[in-house]
mmCIF file of all heavy atoms in Angstrom:
data_model
loop_
_atom_site.group_PDB
_atom_site.id
_atom_site.type_symbol
_atom_site.label_atom_id
_atom_site.label_comp_id
_atom_site.label_asym_id
_atom_site.label_seq_id
_atom_site.Cartn_x
_atom_site.Cartn_y
_atom_site.Cartn_z
ATOM 1 N N LEU Y 8 34.439 -87.065 79.741
ATOM 2 C CA LEU Y 8 34.213 -88.160 78.887
ATOM 3 C C LEU Y 8 34.142 -87.598 77.371
ATOM 4 O O LEU Y 8 33.896 -86.567 77.035
ATOM 5 C CB LEU Y 8 32.939 -88.895 79.132
ATOM 6 C CG LEU Y 8 33.016 -89.673 80.503
ATOM 7 C CD1 LEU Y 8 31.579 -90.083 80.850
ATOM 8 C CD2 LEU Y 8 34.029 -90.780 80.421
ATOM 9 N N PRO Y 9 34.531 -88.549 76.385
ATOM 10 C CA PRO Y 9 34.588 -88.126 75.002
ATOM 11 C C PRO Y 9 33.230 -87.797 74.510
ATOM 12 O O PRO Y 9 32.170 -88.143 75.037
ATOM 13 C CB PRO Y 9 35.122 -89.408 74.298
ATOM 14 C CG PRO Y 9 34.776 -90.555 75.188
ATOM 15 C CD PRO Y 9 34.867 -89.970 76.537
ATOM 16 N N ARG Y 10 33.175 -86.987 73.363
ATOM 17 C CA ARG Y 10 31.980 -86.646 72.710
ATOM 18 C C ARG Y 10 31.918 -87.150 71.325
ATOM 19 O O ARG Y 10 32.977 -87.420 70.707
ATOM 20 C CB ARG Y 10 31.950 -85.041 72.643
ATOM 21 C CG ARG Y 10 31.331 -84.271 73.714
ATOM 22 C CD ARG Y 10 31.399 -84.823 75.095
ATOM 23 N NE ARG Y 10 30.776 -83.809 76.081
ATOM 24 C CZ ARG Y 10 30.884 -83.960 77.376
ATOM 25 N NH1 ARG Y 10 31.606 -84.951 77.854
ATOM 26 N NH2 ARG Y 10 30.330 -83.127 78.135
ATOM 27 N N PRO Y 11 30.785 -87.219 70.801
ATOM 28 C CA PRO Y 11 29.418 -86.941 71.233
ATOM 29 C C PRO Y 11 29.048 -87.908 72.432
ATOM 30 O O PRO Y 11 29.525 -89.062 72.347
ATOM 31 C CB PRO Y 11 28.489 -87.153 70.106
ATOM 32 C CG PRO Y 11 29.296 -87.017 68.900
ATOM 33 C CD PRO Y 11 30.652 -87.592 69.287
ATOM 34 N N LEU Y 12 28.395 -87.478 73.432
ATOM 35 C CA LEU Y 12 28.085 -88.275 74.617
ATOM 36 C C LEU Y 12 26.655 -88.351 74.861
ATOM 37 O O LEU Y 12 25.914 -87.349 74.752
ATOM 38 C CB LEU Y 12 28.877 -87.694 75.845
ATOM 39 C CG LEU Y 12 28.689 -88.510 77.134
ATOM 40 C CD1 LEU Y 12 29.345 -89.933 77.019
ATOM 41 C CD2 LEU Y 12 29.311 -87.747 78.305
ATOM 42 N N TRP Y 13 26.129 -89.533 75.232
ATOM 43 C CA TRP Y 13 24.734 -89.730 75.693
ATOM 44 C C TRP Y 13 24.554 -90.424 77.026
ATOM 45 O O TRP Y 13 25.581 -91.137 77.448
ATOM 46 C CB TRP Y 13 24.106 -90.642 74.561
ATOM 47 C CG TRP Y 13 24.025 -90.088 73.228
ATOM 48 C CD1 TRP Y 13 25.077 -90.063 72.301
ATOM 49 C CD2 TRP Y 13 22.922 -89.443 72.585
ATOM 50 N NE1 TRP Y 13 24.675 -89.547 71.190
ATOM 51 C CE2 TRP Y 13 23.428 -89.071 71.330
ATOM 52 C CE3 TRP Y 13 21.697 -89.086 73.026
ATOM 53 C CZ2 TRP Y 13 22.576 -88.348 70.420
ATOM 54 C CZ3 TRP Y 13 20.885 -88.414 72.151
ATOM 55 C CH2 TRP Y 13 21.372 -88.038 70.870
ATOM 56 N N ILE Y 14 23.516 -90.177 77.731
ATOM 57 C CA ILE Y 14 23.120 -90.864 78.865
ATOM 58 C C ILE Y 14 21.662 -91.308 78.819
ATOM 59 O O ILE Y 14 20.910 -90.719 77.939
ATOM 60 C CB ILE Y 14 23.350 -90.048 80.181
ATOM 61 C CG1 ILE Y 14 22.488 -88.729 80.198
ATOM 62 C CG2 ILE Y 14 24.821 -89.628 80.355
ATOM 63 C CD1 ILE Y 14 22.330 -88.077 81.595
ATOM 64 N N THR Y 15 21.269 -92.182 79.705
ATOM 65 C CA THR Y 15 19.837 -92.532 79.759
ATOM 66 C C THR Y 15 19.168 -91.749 80.948
ATOM 67 O O THR Y 15 19.804 -91.636 82.068
ATOM 68 C CB THR Y 15 19.721 -94.007 80.006
ATOM 69 O OG1 THR Y 15 19.995 -94.663 78.791
ATOM 70 C CG2 THR Y 15 18.300 -94.380 80.400
ATOM 71 N N VAL Y 16 18.023 -91.354 80.782
ATOM 72 C CA VAL Y 16 17.212 -90.750 81.808
ATOM 73 C C VAL Y 16 15.859 -91.434 81.872
ATOM 74 O O VAL Y 16 15.286 -91.802 80.855
ATOM 75 C CB VAL Y 16 16.998 -89.183 81.578
ATOM 76 C CG1 VAL Y 16 16.040 -88.561 82.571
ATOM 77 C CG2 VAL Y 16 18.304 -88.555 81.494
ATOM 78 N N TYR Y 17 15.452 -91.742 83.127
ATOM 79 C CA TYR Y 17 14.095 -92.243 83.226
ATOM 80 C C TYR Y 17 13.326 -91.613 84.431
ATOM 81 O O TYR Y 17 13.939 -90.796 85.133
ATOM 82 C CB TYR Y 17 14.143 -93.809 83.492
ATOM 83 C CG TYR Y 17 14.798 -94.238 84.768
ATOM 84 C CD1 TYR Y 17 13.961 -94.598 85.830
ATOM 85 C CD2 TYR Y 17 16.174 -94.348 84.798
ATOM 86 C CE1 TYR Y 17 14.579 -95.063 87.029
ATOM 87 C CE2 TYR Y 17 16.794 -94.813 86.093
ATOM 88 C CZ TYR Y 17 15.955 -95.217 87.091
ATOM 89 O OH TYR Y 17 16.522 -95.564 88.353
ATOM 90 N N ASP Y 18 12.075 -91.988 84.634
ATOM 91 C CA ASP Y 18 11.282 -91.322 85.705
ATOM 92 C C ASP Y 18 10.381 -92.374 86.409
ATOM 93 O O ASP Y 18 9.360 -92.745 85.844
ATOM 94 C CB ASP Y 18 10.387 -90.256 85.137
ATOM 95 C CG ASP Y 18 9.461 -89.578 86.233
ATOM 96 O OD1 ASP Y 18 9.807 -89.795 87.380
ATOM 97 O OD2 ASP Y 18 8.445 -89.059 85.745
ATOM 98 N N GLN Y 19 10.919 -92.964 87.527
ATOM 99 C CA GLN Y 19 10.231 -93.889 88.211
ATOM 100 C C GLN Y 19 9.151 -93.389 89.155
ATOM 101 O O GLN Y 19 8.249 -94.074 89.667
ATOM 102 C CB GLN Y 19 11.103 -94.800 88.968
ATOM 103 C CG GLN Y 19 11.837 -94.263 90.088
ATOM 104 C CD GLN Y 19 12.731 -95.170 90.880
ATOM 105 O OE1 GLN Y 19 12.752 -96.336 90.494
ATOM 106 N NE2 GLN Y 19 13.438 -94.623 91.920
ATOM 107 N N SER Y 20 9.182 -92.023 89.369
ATOM 108 C CA SER Y 20 8.191 -91.409 90.228
ATOM 109 C C SER Y 20 7.039 -90.755 89.542
ATOM 110 O O SER Y 20 6.167 -90.286 90.147
ATOM 111 C CB SER Y 20 8.931 -90.305 91.076
ATOM 112 O OG SER Y 20 10.038 -90.830 91.765
ATOM 113 N N ASN Y 21 7.061 -90.820 88.210
ATOM 114 C CA ASN Y 21 5.992 -90.151 87.365
ATOM 115 C C ASN Y 21 5.730 -88.679 87.674
ATOM 116 O O ASN Y 21 4.636 -88.334 87.992
ATOM 117 C CB ASN Y 21 4.699 -91.030 87.552
ATOM 118 C CG ASN Y 21 4.753 -92.390 86.776
ATOM 119 O OD1 ASN Y 21 5.221 -92.439 85.684
ATOM 120 N ND2 ASN Y 21 4.396 -93.417 87.499
ATOM 121 N N ILE Y 22 6.730 -87.978 87.679
ATOM 122 C CA ILE Y 22 6.636 -86.595 87.957
ATOM 123 C C ILE Y 22 6.245 -85.739 86.692
ATOM 124 O O ILE Y 22 5.796 -84.527 86.827
ATOM 125 C CB ILE Y 22 7.992 -85.914 88.562
ATOM 126 C CG1 ILE Y 22 9.087 -86.074 87.472
ATOM 127 C CG2 ILE Y 22 8.384 -86.598 89.795
ATOM 128 C CD1 ILE Y 22 10.391 -85.450 87.819
ATOM 129 N N GLY Y 23 6.243 -86.334 85.647
ATOM 130 C CA GLY Y 23 5.795 -85.812 84.367
ATOM 131 C C GLY Y 23 6.924 -85.097 83.538
ATOM 132 O O GLY Y 23 8.016 -84.843 83.998
ATOM 133 N N GLY Y 24 6.645 -85.036 82.238
ATOM 134 C CA GLY Y 24 7.678 -84.597 81.353
ATOM 135 C C GLY Y 24 8.330 -83.321 81.566
ATOM 136 O O GLY Y 24 9.497 -83.110 81.542
ATOM 137 N N LYS Y 25 7.440 -82.320 81.832
ATOM 138 C CA LYS Y 25 8.003 -80.961 82.035
ATOM 139 C C LYS Y 25 8.797 -80.800 83.272
ATOM 140 O O LYS Y 25 9.898 -80.208 83.294
ATOM 141 C CB LYS Y 25 6.791 -79.887 82.122
ATOM 142 C CG LYS Y 25 7.291 -78.514 82.192
ATOM 143 C CD LYS Y 25 6.140 -77.504 82.309
ATOM 144 C CE LYS Y 25 6.632 -76.034 82.313
ATOM 145 N NZ LYS Y 25 7.545 -75.875 83.402
ATOM 146 N N THR Y 26 8.419 -81.480 84.345
ATOM 147 C CA THR Y 26 9.194 -81.391 85.618
ATOM 148 C C THR Y 26 10.468 -82.157 85.375
ATOM 149 O O THR Y 26 11.482 -81.757 85.985
ATOM 150 C CB THR Y 26 8.440 -82.069 86.727
ATOM 151 O OG1 THR Y 26 7.088 -81.366 86.860
ATOM 152 C CG2 THR Y 26 9.043 -81.971 88.096
ATOM 153 N N LEU Y 27 10.414 -83.230 84.719
ATOM 154 C CA LEU Y 27 11.621 -83.972 84.464
ATOM 155 C C LEU Y 27 12.746 -83.115 83.552
ATOM 156 O O LEU Y 27 13.873 -83.013 83.884
ATOM 157 C CB LEU Y 27 11.378 -85.290 83.703
ATOM 158 C CG LEU Y 27 12.627 -86.132 83.292
ATOM 159 C CD1 LEU Y 27 13.273 -86.705 84.580
ATOM 160 C CD2 LEU Y 27 12.192 -87.285 82.344
ATOM 161 N N ALA Y 28 12.131 -82.448 82.619
ATOM 162 C CA ALA Y 28 12.897 -81.539 81.741
ATOM 163 C C ALA Y 28 13.557 -80.430 82.607
ATOM 164 O O ALA Y 28 14.732 -80.091 82.388
ATOM 165 C CB ALA Y 28 12.117 -81.033 80.576
ATOM 166 N N ASP Y 29 12.667 -79.822 83.470
ATOM 167 C CA ASP Y 29 13.156 -78.787 84.285
ATOM 168 C C ASP Y 29 14.273 -79.232 85.226
ATOM 169 O O ASP Y 29 15.351 -78.508 85.366
ATOM 170 C CB ASP Y 29 12.022 -78.188 85.132
ATOM 171 C CG ASP Y 29 10.973 -77.426 84.343
ATOM 172 O OD1 ASP Y 29 11.267 -77.127 83.226
ATOM 173 O OD2 ASP Y 29 9.867 -77.258 84.897
ATOM 174 N N TRP Y 30 14.162 -80.486 85.719
ATOM 175 C CA TRP Y 30 15.197 -80.948 86.668
ATOM 176 C C TRP Y 30 16.465 -81.164 85.846
ATOM 177 O O TRP Y 30 17.585 -80.846 86.332
ATOM 178 C CB TRP Y 30 14.648 -82.278 87.235
ATOM 179 C CG TRP Y 30 15.749 -83.017 88.069
ATOM 180 C CD1 TRP Y 30 16.177 -82.655 89.274
ATOM 181 C CD2 TRP Y 30 16.320 -84.264 87.683
ATOM 182 N NE1 TRP Y 30 17.095 -83.713 89.721
ATOM 183 C CE2 TRP Y 30 17.212 -84.651 88.770
ATOM 184 C CE3 TRP Y 30 16.279 -85.080 86.549
ATOM 185 C CZ2 TRP Y 30 18.086 -85.806 88.632
ATOM 186 C CZ3 TRP Y 30 17.028 -86.169 86.380
ATOM 187 C CH2 TRP Y 30 17.885 -86.568 87.494
ATOM 188 N N LEU Y 31 16.425 -81.824 84.740
ATOM 189 C CA LEU Y 31 17.540 -82.038 83.811
ATOM 190 C C LEU Y 31 18.224 -80.769 83.475
ATOM 191 O O LEU Y 31 19.563 -80.738 83.501
ATOM 192 C CB LEU Y 31 17.188 -82.840 82.572
ATOM 193 C CG LEU Y 31 17.025 -84.318 82.736
ATOM 194 C CD1 LEU Y 31 16.504 -84.870 81.466
ATOM 195 C CD2 LEU Y 31 18.366 -84.993 83.148
#
């Protein structure tokens, strides 16, 4: 896909910010 490119990320399981960042 063309750049600059953005996506949306959310957390419905409430795993926490650090865990979400690690996963991403």
